[in-house]
Amino acid sequence: MENSTNSNKSLLIEGLWTQNPGLVKLLGLCPLLAVSNSAVNAIGLGIATLFTLLVSNTLVSVFRHHIHTAIRIPLYVLIIATTVTIVELLMRAWFPGMFAALGIFLPLIVTNCLIIGRAEAFASRQSVKQAFIDGLAMGLGFFAVLLILGSAREIIGQGSWLSNANLLFGDLASTWKIEFFDRSNGVLLALLPPGAFIGLGLMLAVKNAIDASLKTKRDTVELLNQRNNQQANT
Amino acid sequence: MSHVSVNTALVRSESPSVQRVMLQVLVALLPGIVALYWLTGPGVLLNVVFACFFAVILECMVLVVRKKSLHGEGTDLSIVVAASLLALSVPPTLPFMHLLFGVLVLVLLGKHVFGGLGQNPFNPAMVAYAALFISFPQSMTLWFNPTELTSVSLLDTLKFKTEVVGQTLSHYPAWDAITKATPLEHLRTLKLNQETISVELANHTVSQAPWIIVSACFFIGGVYLLWRKVIQWQIPVTVIASFAIVSLVWATFGTNSIPNIGYSLFSGALIFGAFFIATDPVTAASSTAGRIVYGTGIGLLAFIIRYFGGYPDGFAFAVLLMNLCVPTIDYAVLKLSQP
Amino acid sequence: MSTVKPQRSGLLLSAAVLTCTLLIITVHWFSEPTIIAAQQKQLNELLDNLLPAKSADNNFKDNVVLIESEALGTLDAQRVYRAELNGEPSGAIITAVSTMGYSGDITLLIGIEYNGTIHAVRVLSHSETPGLGDVIETQKSDWIFKFDQLPTAALTNTYWAVKKNGGEFDRITGATITSNAVIKAVERASSWYRLNRDNLHGKKSVKLNQTIL
């Protein structure tokens, strides 16, 4: 399984790129696709997921020596459900508009397989510090995919970015909205569910293309090095 | 997915014949284009020219980016046929910007995302049509009133198609007066207002005759394709037959909410779609039995979506849904034929 | 891990359940007043826009009757909020349903003054086609504001239709069905109110469990 000497940097790179939950592991796609219809919704769900992941990873790691294998899954579920319920209550009280916008997908963070997956595969066998950083990295990776997809869909679909920011950041933020073109010119497809699937598919394609071109470059460099070494030997 | 590789082989090895087939499809479209021009004015010609022009440019650009020869797919006319089919499906009033979006979807998401000609599971023209319909429902449901034709000149149409993007029609009162819902949309309104359709039809408030002529012209083109053996009879016959049978059954036993069978068959995109859209060799089922299942499915789905769905005509969605079933149909036919 | 005894696991699990429950109870306890206040605020914002300012001095959000009438579009009980000023009836907010939309029901909130003048109409829920019928929402178009200040008592039947069908309303481009559905629902509800207003304001109010519509 995971190497115990993961450096912080490599953990971050894994969460944000090589093992990205949204683009590589394809975990938690249901909320990712459903809520990414505007940048602000995406940020709201992204923060809630990131917070839950941080808390559950840290707690699981703290108690990892005391948890018997037989009861580990109920305990993880308990920790995750408690965290999500608390997030839900706090959001209902202080961000009611955001709560209404996220709807069922906020309580459904409980069932996001990303969170229990990291608890089981990583946090239960790593130090608290490493588990915390892994939670941060994976959460940020998920957050980034949500934000990019949400922004793209909002810009293409309704010609604006960060609309309704006041739901999340208070009344001062209602001026943050950037309008590129009039709402009636928007490509409605981007806002509707098929737009989420097409958008995520295109993001996957772009990531794979970047990886492929990086690999070609790396291979070429390696090949040149090998040749140089051979020449040096002979 | 064996049919895909078979089709690909066919397409690749006989590129000149692909070109000849495509040319015949274009010829078969001509009567329909003339009829639409007569009915709705110069908008349809502008659509065809514009869509083909940009589709070819875009196709060449994509082929260059994908480092492919311009001589296979670039010159076999398949993209011209796909663009023409899209241009004939959309309203003649459609703004150029929206048509450009449709062509982008057709070439990129309909075709090249899957690997180019022969690899696409969905009919590219219908992918583009569905994307347009969902994205710009207002401009996709706006047709000229056939009886007001005299006032629609080429220059007016050009002006409308470049200026109207994103404006509501209330800014264009002159245009609001001469645009009108198609007969199908009109019927839909009546049904929901709980008036009886037969009375309405008897009063001739919906001018249906011009649309019958358009459908008849596409029918002639379809017969030409059958005669030249470009398409096989199974798909068009089963599409039309299954649609007619359910219409008949429903009109006899169901509630009195759908029009008579002649009206049903010759309105909307049914005839055009049965001969020109559903028969696309790449995305249709490949065996005889498979084609019968495929065509019947399209006819049934088109009926259901048209009379019970959220949009006035559902032919595009019916074709896309059956495209999705093609691998299963082909697999089932293969399994059943060799026990 | 194998060194941990099963009995200890059971205790640990119980302790964890207890801790988590206590934690949630605590958070619930200190966030509940804010949640209720936030819900109330949302409801107030919605309802306050539907009647003229200072037209009611009673707590009309709690002065509710449930009405079962075909005039409100459905035989399910619909809420009617009754406003009073100085002890006299001054208006009402009516929830009404239209079943004649393009797809599914359209639920409306209609604010109407006692003399039959509509103050405002808002859409509570609908499933009209995106891009066509959904412009009945206030954030997508100002079409629904056409009902503001409409003196329904002075209008004839022919007024209530889109211009294309001989009425006085602009239609939503490409969504004649949706426009007509909303117009007809408002017409029926407002004429129902004018016929039944005295009876309505005399009824005893009901206590509702939910604060949100």
Side-chain angles (χ1 to χ4, degrees), chain A residues 10 16 21 107 120 122-123 126 138 152 172 181 200 216 227 231:
Chain A
S10 74
L16 285 170
E120 168 78 359
F122 193 91
Q126 302 287 346
M138 287 291 161
L172 276 177
F181 50 83
L200 186 70
T216 332
R227 274 202 200 140
Q231 279 173 352

Side-chain angles (χ1 to χ4, degrees), chain B residues 137-138 176 188-189 192 310-312, chain C residues 102 129-132 171 173 177:
Chain B
Q138 284 205 352
D176 201 15
R188 182 113 197 175
T189 322
L192 286 152
Y311 293 103
Chain C
Y102 207 90
T129 318
L132 290 175
R171 75 184 159 124
T173 310
I177 294 174

Side-chain angles (χ1 to χ4, degrees), chain A residues 33 153 188-201, chain B residues 109 130-131 134:
Chain A
L33 294 168
R153 287 178 68 192
L188 215 53
L189 179 70
L191 286 184
L192 296 171
F197 284 93
I198 296 172
L200 186 70
Chain B
L109 291 186
I134 294 169

